[in-house]
Amino acid sequence: MAIGYAGLIIGAIFAGLVYVVIAIIVKNVGVKWIDKLMPAVVIGPTVAIIGLSLAGNAVGDIVKGSVTTEVIETVAQLNAAGEYELAEAVSNVPVASPLIAFLCGIVTLFTTMLCSTYGKKMTKLIPFIIGIMAGYVLAVIFTVIGNAANIPALQVISFAPFTALVENGVSLSTFLSVPDLTFLTASKGLSEINGSYIATVAVAYIPVAFVVFAEHIADHKNISSIIERDLLTKPGLHRTLLGDGIGSMFGAFFGGCPNTTYGESIACVAITRNASVASIIAAAIGAIIISFVSPFIALVNSIPPCVMGGVCMALYGFIAVSGLKMFKNLDLDENRNLFVVSAILIAGIGGLTLTFGKVTITAIACALILGIVCIIIGNGIAFCILKCSLFILRKIAVMYLSRIQSELCFKLRIFGHIHKLTIALLKHFGIDTLFAVSRSVLFNLINKEQRKHLDAFFGISEFLVKMCLNGSSDLCFFDYILVYAADCLAKLYKLGI
């Protein structure tokens, strides 16, 4: 068990490092490519299925109580010889009536709705807490009656977490206790870890981190639409990824889930309209302090599934609705948009998952990837290659040209003024002649040290131009490259051409 906890921490570190690396890449590359690969027609349905895919959990919980009884069933199972044999299976089944549990859950939902709709300022900020309290009180009433009258159908809440506090008498641990911290248990298994084990954990966790990256973007696009501010640009996707990665690494030491962006939290922001960072920090500090208070932990552990199911019906529903709102203005009469939305919704709601060895791609990630593929096909593969090539060319130009001395900016003024001449040469003599003339003119203006940088730039440019134009007489793309090459250095050193 100890080595398992150690493996969880190591895996969380690997996953967190993946996010840190992606954050560094996004910092240097930017986020415009995300808007091109993941427009509203892709992100909207993806966010919607985050909520819709959880609907089954909410509906399943709302008819369950927390008091269970063991039920022994006879089932057929395969033995080592590959033959079926009868065996006994033990399962825990709730004893509360589904109707009673549903009543507690629906009271929770209605109370939350009324507080959020008609409540005053403070009431609107804590509708979920009030709703849970209302459902919990009703569940307590049913349970007390059920215990007194010995009616199992009314026993909704299990008071075992409270009785455990005084099981060994009243002591300090009854009121205050240190939570079970993961790293304390994991430290006992460090001696069993070897290189093979670390490699196995890395193979299991690193690919999953890349998959969850897609959900990270979808969740932040969702909350951006709620608060009407693009979080991918301010504070920036690289900062959210960095925070998620580092937070996951530190959180794993204390038992937190790595690289998980909770849709429920986004729904809370949507309902309360409170996206204050100060509020979130205060809530986090409060949660840490309360985790040492034993009676409060017992109270949280005793909340029955039906009460949480009532709250989750609102939470998951808000996630789905916020996603639908993101693409409500799209023209779904256009087949391109219709196919993208249809593929994402069916793949996500249907629960499409793909497994490659030990790596499983979740239904949401599969739906998002499928949507991206559909948008690429819908927009035309050649057109997407052209746009991606131009994007790559821009970054390469900045990377190489930024290393050249500032004196080249002045000399590129001449290059900028003669680009029309090179276009004319291309029309008469072709691409090869154009690049030969361009190299000759520009390389005579710079020294030997500077030439190696521009030589790489010209080589890549020539390849991309030939690939994208493919013999076309349309020279707009190439004209843009020449102008951009001249403007890029000037802007870099703040010398306008």
Side-chain angles (χ1 to χ4, degrees):
M1 181 177 179
I3 190 174
Y5 277 97
L8 290 174
I9 293 178
I10 295 172
I13 292 175
F14 277 123
L17 288 175
V18 169
Y19 266 40
V20 172
V21 171
I22 296 177
I24 295 173
I25 295 174
V26 171
K27 169 66 175 177
N28 292 285
V29 174
V31 296
K32 290 184 178 179
W33 61 275
I34 294 176
D35 294 329
K36 299 183 184 302
L37 278 182
M38 304 179 192
V41 70
V42 173
I43 291 295
T46 304
V47 171
I49 63 175
I50 292 176
L52 294 175
S53 63
L54 296 170
N57 295 336
V59 173
D61 287 342
I62 202 171
V63 293
K64 293 180 181 178
S66 55
V67 179
T68 60
T69 184
E70 289 188 353
V71 175
I72 301 176
E73 297 177 333
T74 302
V75 296
Q77 63 181 18
L78 284 173
N79 56 23
E83 299 176 350
Y84 282 98
E85 62 180 9
L86 297 179
E88 292 183 346
V90 179
S91 59
N92 294 319
V93 178
V95 299
S97 167
L99 293 177
I100 296 297
F102 176 75
L103 180 60
C104 295
I106 211 68
V107 166
T108 303
L109 174 62
F110 288 162
T111 303
T112 303
M113 180 184 67
L114 292 173
C115 290
S116 179
T117 305
Y118 300 106
K120 300 299 181 182
K121 184 175 181 181
M122 181 55 67
T123 305
K124 284 189 174 183
L125 289 176
I126 54 172
F128 295 108
I129 296 177
I130 298 174
I132 292 174
M133 290 173 59
Y136 190 89
V137 169
L138 181 61
V140 167
I141 294 173
F142 281 128
T143 304
V144 170
I145 297 173
N147 290 339
N150 194 23
I151 304 176
L154 298 179
Q155 297 172 3
V156 180
I157 293 181
S158 172
F159 295 112
F162 293 103
T163 57
L165 295 178
V166 294
E167 187 176 7
N168 298 321
V170 179
S171 61
L172 179 62
S173 62
T174 304
F175 305 97
L176 296 173
S177 63
V178 178
D180 295 329
L181 301 177
T182 306
F183 69 89
L184 295 178
T185 306
S187 62
K188 301 175 183 177
L190 294 178
S191 59
E192 304 177 45
I193 295 177
N194 52 38
S196 176
Y197 183 78
I198 294 176
T200 302
V201 172
V203 171
Y205 275 80
I206 291 177
V208 175
F210 282 103
V211 172
V212 181
F213 166 66
E215 295 186 32
H216 178 98
I217 294 176
D219 282 336
H220 282 79
K221 281 276 191 178
N222 186 10
I223 198 169
S224 295
S225 67
I226 293 171
I227 65 176
E228 298 180 349
R229 191 179 78 186
D230 189 1
L231 296 177
L232 300 188
T233 56
K234 184 179 181 181
L237 179 61
H238 61 285
R239 288 189 173 92
T240 63
L241 287 169
L242 187 63
D244 203 349
I246 296 177
S248 295
M249 287 187 281
F250 277 97
F253 279 92
F254 302 97
C257 299
N259 287 334
T260 304
T261 46
Y262 291 101
E264 294 88 337
S265 300
I266 295 174
C268 288
V269 173
I271 294 176
T272 62
R273 296 293 171 180
N274 180 11
S276 170
V277 176
S279 297
I280 295 173
I281 293 175
I285 295 174
I288 293 173
I289 295 174
I290 291 174
S291 67
F292 291 88
V293 181
S294 300
F296 187 85
I297 299 302
L299 175 64
V300 173
N301 288 335
S302 68
I303 298 176
C306 56
V307 173
M308 294 308 301
V311 171
C312 288
M313 287 190 70
L315 291 175
Y316 300 156
F318 263 85
I319 298 171
V321 171
S322 61
L324 296 175
K325 287 168 61 178
M326 293 175 68
F327 66 98
K328 65 179 181 180
N329 295 325
L330 291 176
D331 183 11
L332 293 180
D333 289 331
E334 186 177 347
N335 286 344
R336 179 175 57 186
N337 294 335
L338 183 61
F339 275 103
V340 173
V341 174
S342 300
I344 293 175
L345 289 178
I346 297 303
I349 298 174
L352 173 65
T353 60
L354 298 176
T355 301
F356 302 94
K358 296 183 179 180
V359 179
T360 299
I361 302 178
T362 64
I364 296 173
C366 282
L368 179 58
I369 294 171
L370 184 60
I372 293 173
V373 173
C374 288
I375 201 70
I376 291 175
I377 295 175
N379 288 334
I381 296 177
F383 180 68
C384 290
I385 292 176
L386 178 65
K387 295 177 73 174
C388 291
S389 301
L390 180 58
F391 174 80
I392 295 172
L393 182 60
R394 288 179 180 176
K395 296 305 175 183
I396 293 174
V398 173
M399 179 176 65
Y400 280 103
L401 296 180
S402 63
R403 298 170 60 183
I404 301 175
Q405 299 174 6
S406 59
E407 63 173 303
L408 186 58
C409 291
F410 174 77
K411 295 176 181 179
L412 273 180
R413 294 172 184 269
I414 301 173
F415 183 69
H417 289 308
I418 66 171
H419 84 280
K420 292 183 179 179
L421 175 62
T422 58
I423 292 296
L425 289 173
L426 176 59
K427 290 180 178 179
H428 290 283
F429 301 103
I431 293 177
D432 293 331
T433 302
L434 170 67
F435 277 97
V437 173
S438 300
R439 276 197 182 93
S440 177
V441 172
L442 186 57
F443 280 27
N444 287 330
L445 298 175
I446 60 179
N447 58 45
K448 185 177 180 180
E449 177 64 24
Q450 297 165 342
R451 289 177 185 176
K452 62 181 182 180
H453 304 303
L454 282 179
D455 190 61
F457 171 73
F458 268 104
I460 296 174
S461 300
E462 185 173 3
F463 170 76
L464 292 174
V465 169
K466 287 182 177 180
M467 180 181 67
C468 295
L469 289 181
N470 194 23
S472 172
S473 60
D474 184 5
L475 302 176
C476 295
F477 175 71
F478 182 70
D479 182 67
Y480 177 81
I481 292 177
L482 291 177
V483 175
Y484 184 82
D487 288 349
C488 182
L489 275 178
K491 291 178 180 178
L492 185 63
Y493 294 99
K494 298 182 180 179
L495 296 174
I497 293 180

